[in-house]
Amino acid sequence: MAQLTENIWWIILAGSVSLILLIGLIIVSILISNKKLLRLQQEKIEEIQKSERMYADLFNNVSDLVYIHQFDGTILKINDAVESLLGYKANEIIGQKFQNVFDIPPSDYYQYIHTLDNSDFSKGILKLKSRDGKQLIFEYQNSIVTEITNLKTIRGIARNVTERIKAEEELKRKDKLLTAVADASILLLINPDHKNAINHVLQILGEAIEVDRVYVFENHIDPVTNDLLMSQKFEWCREGIAPQIDNPLLQNLSYRHPYAQNMYEKIRQGEIYSGIVRFMSEPEREIFGVQGIKSILIIPIFIGKRFWGFIGFDDCTYEREWSEVEKAVLKSAAGSIGGLIGLMEYEKELYQTNIFLSGILESSQSISIITTDLSGMIEYWNAGAENLFGYKAEEMIGQKLVGKIIDTDDKITCDRFLNLANSVITKKQTQTTELVFYNRNGNQLWVNLTISPIIDNQGNVIGLSSIGQDITQRKITELALIQNEEMFRNVWENSADGMRLLDEDAKIKLVNRAYCSLVQMPYEKLIGQDYYVCYYNQGQEKLESFKDNISKGNIPTRQITNITLWNGKTIPVEISNSFIELQNNKKMLLSIFRDISEQKEYERKIKSSEEKYRQLALHLQTIREEERTKIAREIHDELGQQLTGLFFEISGIKTMRKRTKVQLDERLDKIHDLIQQLISSVQRISADLRPAILDDLGLIPAIEWEVSQFQDRTKIKTKLNVQVGDVKIPKTISTVIFRILQESLTNVARHSKASQVSIDLKVKNDDFLLEVVDNGIGIPEEMLSNPNSIGLIGMRERAYSCNGELIIHSELNKGTKISLTIPINGEMK
């Protein structure tokens, strides 16, 4: 029994020890498992932190503005681009209101927020103010995102499109100004009230160019001092701007006045005077300041070669710089106004002349006035008619003109008189001609006859009024001048226009020196020849047609055409034609030729300029759309695929049940590689849009990088020579230089078929000099001035925007040299 009890105790003791050992083993196993789990968790946390750092780098490397803010505008996150774009550091504005930091008006912010009312995605345009007070325009894309805390926020990206919007607005402004000038020109042509037309034109121009005051000054001579004076004649003012038309300071003001001297030196030579008043001389500031002017533009008005006056444009609100486009368009408007003023002066002189002539006709004994009924029976015969024809009034009243002072045997004169009378009756218009009449003694008289309709209150023609002047002596003199070549030559040889006299057989009777110079033939080879002797490829058929037109009087009084000379040269001319009636019923054709090549060339240049700007605008639109398409494709094809791969890799980790460290490492390595590819893709896309190196390191490193990329990409041997030194180049100038270099290298790669390129960079006399020389096939001459050569036009426009100059010299099969000279401290236009 005792033995049994002892065995039981040993069994219990052995079981207890076994149980204790088992519990110990379990505890040790749990500790080992927990340690391994903690190690895996620590590795996971480190990977997540590493991933977060990568995404943070990606977030801050984007050159556009990226942000997250609440609906009330509280900024939760914003990338480092906010400093380069708007001047703020990211950490100093996080937690502040989006609309307060960037000075967004409440109405604009309300519209910005509520574009997401019906959609989780929105895009639009928003104006943000930078730290230094500049207002920049951004194109944004927003979406609603739900954070881990279930808080809905707005996540967005915004791109600075200020320059693009400004360029579009400048094009619209130019179109608006051109339309206004066209409307003004039409108004000047069709409005019979000239003074009202000018006032209306000033309003059209003022509203189109958005100034506060437009006015016209006229020049006149001081009768005492003989000084050239100016006085304001017309004015338009925007509402709220004080008119100056009655300002005594602006009437009879001498150009010798200190304020006017600088202006006079320019506008008297046909140049434009403009500027900001604050930067002008003290006398100029004094007189302009009284009128409240901040910026002024003065364009001279010429009538022919006479300096008539000027048109002025005042900006009393802003200090503005006038663009070259505005100056050119407004200068053409000034020319139209000058043309109308010249017409006004001519009409005024004509009116005064008519009054003077009316007084002479009423009292003169040498002007005949005759009225007849529609059958030609004489009803009135004045003293001038008695003196001219030798018949008393009582002898002529009741008689008919034809058969009395018009010889019935002279069929030509009878027919011309009857046709003229019928035309006056039909058209109810005054007409003038020169006819042969006979006086009481049977002597032949040449009379300048003006026939007018006599119209009753119902508008019916009831008779004819004829005013005649004896021009017999003048006709004899004209014939003598034609017969005496030397005498006639003194009259017209000094004319700057080419003059030619043809007989009824279209043979050249007389030409002046200007005509010989125009057609490039000597005088002796023209006289006595058919009219077309100096023309190219005209024969007998055209000669007969021309002679027929001369005999019928079917030659236009004025025509603008091109004449092709015997040597093949084509010249645009304006031709004025008139007939000279001779005493023997013969007539000669006088033609005056004016070379309008310069005018045509100017018109061609304007059309070419407009076509270039239109093509450039279309090209910019195409480039913008192509760039958007390219970015969208790269984001979809590369970033989309890489993000999808990253998504599946992370999802694979989550779904793995039994995973070893090796498997996890493989998965994490793939994720790491995908993230590296994603970062590279984003950096490449960003570099294509604008190389960060240009902003971070400056122009020269950016050019070195671009040249290296070009050589690697095209395999064209490229040599870069830099002699710039330690010169600080403004950002805007750097961008222009870099883009012109890019476009030059792009043209070399696309078109030149070159095997080597040399690039020289240097600074000389505060100018940055860039030369790009290739050994390619060159550029054809016609392509250098072709409006469709958008790349070359764009390069010139970029250079011009910074007061620079771009020269392209190219020889076929010898290569092309592009030279850019741009002031380092030049201002953007």
Side-chain angles (χ1 to χ4, degrees), residues 227-277:
D227 285 348
L228 183 62
L229 307 179
M230 63 177 110
S231 294
Q232 187 167 344
K233 295 298 181 182
F234 303 94
E235 181 184 60
W236 169 84
C237 292
R238 190 180 298 279
E239 185 176 354
I241 300 299
Q244 300 295 314
I245 191 69
D246 296 325
N247 187 341
L249 290 175
L250 305 180
Q251 302 298 327
N252 302 316
L253 182 60
S254 174
Y255 278 105
R256 294 179 179 271
H257 192 285
Y259 115 84
Q261 290 178 2
N262 290 336
M263 178 183 74
Y264 180 60
E265 288 302 318
K266 282 182 170 291
I267 61 177
R268 72 186 181 91
Q269 299 178 14
E271 298 178 9
I272 293 175
Y273 168 83
S274 65
I276 296 174
V277 173

Side-chain angles (χ1 to χ4, degrees), residues 635-648:
I635 290 175
H636 178 271
D637 294 345
E638 295 188 28
L639 300 186
Q641 291 179 7
Q642 292 164 0
L643 288 172
T644 301
L646 184 61
F647 172 80
F648 281 122

Side-chain angles (χ1 to χ4, degrees), residues 105-148:
S107 58
D108 292 353
Y109 186 75
Y110 179 86
Q111 182 179 2
Y112 163 79
I113 287 294
H114 286 277
T115 54
L116 292 165
D117 286 349
N118 301 318
S119 173
D120 290 340
F121 175 81
S122 69
K123 60 182 180 178
I125 297 293
L126 191 64
K127 294 181 179 179
L128 305 180
K129 187 170 287 187
S130 64
R131 181 189 287 275
D132 58 7
K134 294 181 180 179
Q135 192 173 63
L136 304 177
I137 305 173
F138 285 80
E139 190 174 67
Y140 69 84
Q141 293 186 5
N142 287 344
S143 58
I144 298 177
V145 179
T146 303
E147 303 291 339
I148 298 176

Side-chain angles (χ1 to χ4, degrees), residues 529-544:
Q529 301 297 318
D530 291 327
Y531 82 100
Y532 62 78
V533 65
C534 54
Y535 296 160
Y536 176 79
N537 198 23
Q538 291 199 22
Q540 190 65 28
E541 183 178 348
K542 289 189 176 182
L543 174 63
E544 295 301 326

Side-chain angles (χ1 to χ4, degrees), residues 384-534:
E386 291 183 0
N387 292 333
L388 180 61
F389 297 106
Y391 295 101
K392 297 292 185 180
E394 55 270 20
E395 296 179 85
M396 296 301 294
I397 292 176
Q399 301 291 327
K400 289 192 174 183
L401 286 176
V402 177
K404 200 69 175 176
I405 58 175
I406 297 177
D407 189 353
T408 53
D409 294 332
D410 187 350
K411 297 296 184 183
I412 295 177
T413 301
C414 289
D415 291 343
R416 287 185 61 190
F417 175 77
L418 294 175
N419 290 336
L420 183 66
N422 290 332
S423 177
V424 171
I425 294 170
T426 303
K427 297 180 180 180
K428 298 182 181 179
Q429 294 178 350
T430 298
Q431 298 194 33
T432 301
T433 189
E434 296 176 352
L435 293 176
V436 176
F437 292 85
Y438 291 87
N439 63 11
R440 189 183 192 111
N441 298 324
N443 296 325
Q444 191 180 68
L445 302 173
W446 272 96
V447 177
N448 185 358
L449 187 67
T450 300
I451 303 179
S452 302
I454 300 174
I455 302 174
D456 62 13
N457 293 333
Q458 287 73 39
N460 299 318
V461 178
I462 59 174
L464 299 173
S465 174
S466 303
I467 299 176
Q469 182 181 11
D470 185 3
I471 59 171
T472 305
Q473 189 59 44
R474 193 192 80 189
K475 283 294 182 179
I476 294 173
T477 302
E478 288 177 355
L479 183 59
L481 287 172
I482 294 173
Q483 294 173 342
N484 189 334
E485 183 178 344
E486 290 301 324
M487 185 181 298
F488 187 76
R489 187 179 299 275
N490 291 331
V491 175
W492 77 343
E493 265 309 301
N494 292 325
S495 173
D497 297 328
M499 303 177 71
R500 181 191 67 189
L501 196 63
L502 301 180
D503 62 16
E504 290 183 328
D505 293 327
K507 291 189 179 295
I508 300 174
K509 303 299 291 184
L510 202 61
V511 294
N512 67 348
R513 285 178 296 180
Y515 183 85
C516 296
S517 176
L518 178 69
V519 301
Q520 300 176 19
M521 285 187 72
Y523 178 87
E524 56 271 14
K525 288 189 177 182
L526 293 170
I527 299 301
Q529 301 297 318
D530 291 327
Y531 82 100
Y532 62 78
V533 65
C534 54

